Amino acid sequence: MTASGAVWRNWARNEAVTPVRVERPSSVAAVQRAVVAAGKVGLRVKAVGSGHSFSGIALAPGVQLDLLDLAGLIGVDTVAGQVTLAAGTRLFELPRLLRPYGLALPNLGDVDRQTISGATSTGTHGTGGRFGGLATQVVALTLVTGDGTLLRVSATENAELLPAARLGLGALGIMVDVTLQCVPAFLLHAVEAAEPLEEVLEGYLDRTERSDHFEFFWFPHTETALTKTNTRQPLESGRSPLGRVSRWVDDELLANGVYRGICGLGAALPATVPGFNRLASRRSGKREFTDVSHRVFVTNRTVRFREMEYALPRAVVPDALREVRALIEARGWRISFPIEVRSAAADDVWLSTATGRDTGYIAVHRYYREDPAAYFQAVEAIMRAHGGRPHWGKMHDRDAASLRSDYPHFDDFLSVRDRLDPERRFNNSYLERVLGR
Ligand SMILES: Cc1cc2nc3c(=O)[nH]c(=O)nc-3n(C[C@H](O)[C@H](O)[C@H](O)COP(=O)(O)OP(=O)(O)OC[C@H]3O[C@@H](n4cnc5c(N)ncnc54)[C@H](O)[C@@H]3O)c2cc1C
């Protein structure tokens, strides 16, 4: 145990808390002891991952559990292609851990700094019309519940809890391990291009259906979208990766280094934003390369930003984006960060943003030195009008009353929470807002 007093901040620097105490358990028994001890003195307790959520979901004003020492591979079922990981394992550790078994995760988001527990608990996703978010890969997990007992949830043990526990928002207990369904390791052939926005919008549904992993970025104030189309290939087909220098120039120097300067300038002098956005969207010529999957899915993001992302019925995405574009023009805002559009397959995880429907995602961002409130609130109104569901780990203003009708199993999830955490040991103010007391 470590005494606290130190302020904890999330990656985006928009959420902060000073926990009463911070504990760094290195065993499952120590996690159980921490939950029981917190209960005895009436403190709430919360595991924190890498702090990559933009919402206040990870704030732990009572006891903060840092599971950095509860990381690594616990077991592998080579026949089923399933791996069990300790809860604090970071996504960037997975390629090294899975390589000896020839396995990989079928899909990943934009970055790999998150913990496996944090990523699955908030519904982290990548893109691909036939692929679900990370929580859909969860086949089993072990939780420490509100009274400190260990609860195994799998297809054969407490199976009725699985649709809730796979994506539990940290509200059902402390995950100590998680078992994931993997796939044989694979390559991705990537094609990146700059294309006219309106053509991309018109082709979005078709390209999402035809491609394995299609997404695009649109820089506000331009007519251009940067598309990324990744096609899965067997390992044997051979890599042709980007050269180290070209990767560094494109992804580090231009996408991060120069971009940081541009965003900083844009925050001080908003009038410069449209010109820089036109430059940024033009600088990306066509790029084509083939590499192991995680090297293509994941990029390095060093420019700090704030984000809101909404999950929409996929068919409405083009119109919703056109409305956001009209909004930005009408309000005269200067938005330096691109809007990202992705997709996911319908799934059956109760609080997944893709539950029950094929989904498209629209994510809006602002540089962290700019106030995102007016932009995000106005975009949120558009998303709500289209039946949108907010990403649990990103900024939004929704509450339980408004979210209940978005999720057919909302009340079933609350019943599971009543069963596993009747005293609300794992609550914080974010969870009170989105789930109710
Ligand atoms: C630069 C950047 C890029 C991103 N890209 C994407 C993306 O491509 N796609 C996407 O969907 N999201 C993305 N996100 C959002 C991010 O993936 C999620 O917010 C994710 O939850 C962060 O994981 P974390 O480990 O940092 O968890 P934290 O933010 O620390 O915690 C998230 C939640 O998980 C809970 N939790 C953590 N560990 C446990 C545990 N052991 N047991 C129970 N609950 C636990 C916490 O209590 C909290 O409720 C991005 C965020 C950033 C900052």
Side-chain angles (χ1 to χ4, degrees):
M1 190 201 346
T2 10
S4 185
V7 182
W8 177 92
R9 289 179 208 285
N10 65 343
W11 179 89
R13 303 284 186 267
N14 62 325
E15 296 284 352
V17 71
T18 307
V20 173
R21 60 174 194 259
V22 178
E23 299 200 22
R24 201 162 149 175
S26 54
S27 69
V28 172
V31 174
Q32 291 177 279
R33 280 197 298 274
V35 171
V36 171
K40 281 189 181 147
V41 291
L43 285 175
R44 288 175 172 178
V45 54
K46 188 148 280 297
V48 67
S50 303
H52 268 49
S53 293
F54 300 88
S55 67
I57 193 166
L59 292 186
V63 179
Q64 184 189 65
L65 295 184
D66 179 344
L67 300 189
L68 203 61
D69 293 336
L70 213 61
L73 191 60
I74 296 174
V76 183
D77 177 341
T78 47
V79 177
Q82 294 175 356
V83 297
T84 300
L85 301 162
T89 310
R90 265 58 176 165
L91 297 182
F92 64 78
E93 297 176 280
L94 293 186
R96 176 181 60 81
L97 295 173
L98 303 189
R99 193 174 305 121
Y101 308 97
L103 295 172
L105 290 189
N107 203 359
L108 285 170
D110 288 340
V111 301
D112 59 6
R113 300 295 103 182
Q114 308 95 316
T115 59
I116 189 62
S117 306
T120 54
S121 294
T122 56
T124 295
H125 62 89
T127 192
R130 295 188 296 273
F131 295 87
L134 264 69
T136 65
Q137 306 309 313
V138 174
V139 293
L141 67 154
T142 308
L143 283 172
V144 174
T145 62
D147 62 4
T149 53
L150 268 190
L151 181 76
R152 181 81 184 147
V153 181
S154 71
T156 52
E157 297 148 287
N158 302 299
E160 75 285 2
L161 302 178
L162 202 51
R166 293 163 99 187
L167 196 168
L169 307 184
L172 306 181
I174 308 295
M175 289 163 74
V176 288
D177 65 52
V178 56
T179 304
L180 300 173
Q181 181 63 55
C182 298
V183 295
F186 59 101
L187 300 180
L188 284 172
H189 173 68
V191 179
E192 299 176 357
E195 302 180 55
L197 173 68
E198 199 43 50
E199 278 174 31
V200 173
L201 287 176
E202 271 162 29
Y204 164 74
L205 293 177
D206 187 44
R207 291 171 80 170
T208 297
E209 206 157 289
R210 278 190 291 113
S211 323
D212 290 329
H213 306 277
F214 175 72
E215 72 178 301
F216 69 90
F217 292 85
W218 170 60
F219 281 86
H221 321 295
T222 76
E223 300 296 327
T224 310
L226 304 181
T227 61
K228 289 187 168 192
T229 311
N230 297 334
T231 306
R232 300 162 84 90
Q233 293 187 344
L235 274 188
E236 309 74 67
S237 59
R239 298 164 62 219
S240 62
L242 284 175
R244 277 181 59 194
V245 172
S246 115
R247 194 181 174 103
W248 183 81
V249 169
D250 283 5
D251 296 344
E252 298 302 327
L253 184 65
L254 293 178
N256 285 318
V258 174
Y259 199 56
R260 182 180 302 107
I262 290 175
C263 289
L265 189 62
L269 294 169
T272 60
V273 167
F276 280 126
N277 279 10
R278 279 190 291 277
L279 259 180
S281 64
R282 271 203 302 262
R283 72 125 178 114
S284 303
K286 196 166 171 171
R287 277 203 321 186
E288 207 167 333
F289 55 98
T290 305
D291 210 339
V292 283
S293 56
H294 66 272
R295 286 179 63 84
V296 179
F297 282 136
V298 168
T299 48
N300 193 14
R301 295 283 166 87
T302 61
V303 183
R304 226 174 275 281
F305 57 86
R306 273 90 191 248
E307 179 172 351
M308 178 179 76
E309 184 174 47
Y310 258 83
L312 299 165
R314 195 182 298 156
V316 309
V317 163
D319 278 345
L321 191 76
R322 289 185 186 104
E323 287 175 40
V324 173
R325 179 185 195 180
L327 170 80
I328 293 170
E329 279 166 17
R331 298 288 182 93
W333 291 321
R334 297 288 178 245
I335 308 293
S336 54
F337 256 84
I339 294 180
E340 185 176 18
V341 179
R342 296 184 277 184
S343 58
D347 66 48
D348 56 3
V349 180
W350 287 350
L351 290 192
S352 164
T353 52
T355 198
R357 67 188 193 197
D358 282 333
T359 292
Y361 292 95
I362 296 183
V364 291
H365 313 75
R366 286 220 88 164
Y367 185 51
Y368 81 117
R369 291 188 191 282
E370 294 167 327
D371 181 3
Y375 178 41
F376 285 8
Q377 280 162 12
V379 172
E380 183 160 63
I382 294 174
M383 299 300 144
R384 284 193 69 173
H386 285 289
R389 297 166 173 159
H391 190 304
W392 300 105
K394 302 189 182 178
M395 295 167 74
H396 68 90
D397 279 341
R398 305 284 298 278
D399 61 14
S402 84
L403 289 163
R404 173 171 275 112
S405 57
D406 284 348
Y407 288 92
H409 289 285
F410 195 81
D411 287 318
D412 297 326
F413 184 90
L414 295 189
S415 302
V416 170
R417 183 172 69 142
D418 284 342
R419 179 173 151 194
L420 302 187
D421 186 25
E423 293 182 353
R424 304 292 185 261
R425 187 71 45 224
F426 305 114
N427 246 17
N428 61 13
S429 53
Y430 176 84
L431 290 183
E432 267 171 26
R433 171 160 69 88
V434 299
L435 296 178
R437 284 176 188 273

